[in-house]
Amino acid sequence: EVVVVSVRREPVCKITDEDVVREGVEPLPGRFTATYTATGQPTPTAWVEWFCEEMNVGPYDDITRIEWRYLNA
């Protein structure tokens, strides 16, 4: 089970490094144009490029961000 902790609208391009990690998108080879060497995670810019292409939106388009946390089992 989860509990929603935040719901808000914001532009895709506002994503941070921490947000990219929380998104949990697997950094498969060739998926992102730039990644961090130490972690393999995409940079925010690379993540925005990928997301916009996948979702057919622009980097300044507002999307709904829903953040949640898992409840203890």
Side-chain angles (χ1 to χ4, degrees):
E1 290 186 58
V2 299
V3 60
V4 174
V5 296
S6 174
V7 178
R8 63 186 181 277
R9 302 272 300 159
E10 65 182 41
V12 177
C13 63
K14 291 290 185 178
I15 197 162
T16 65
D17 283 323
E18 292 88 14
D19 294 333
V20 170
V21 171
R22 280 190 289 236
E23 286 294 326
V25 177
E26 190 174 350
L28 297 174
R31 179 175 278 175
F32 299 105
T33 57
T35 59
Y36 293 113
T37 305
T39 63
Q41 290 297 314
T43 64
T45 300
W47 190 93
V48 168
E49 290 171 356
W50 169 81
F51 183 87
C52 289
E53 184 175 317
E54 290 292 313
M55 299 298 169
N56 197 30
V57 296
Y60 297 100
D61 290 349
D62 284 343
I63 58 168
T64 302
R65 296 269 318 259
I66 303 171
E67 293 185 46
W68 67 85
R69 68 176 173 81
Y70 289 101
L71 297 175
N72 292 334

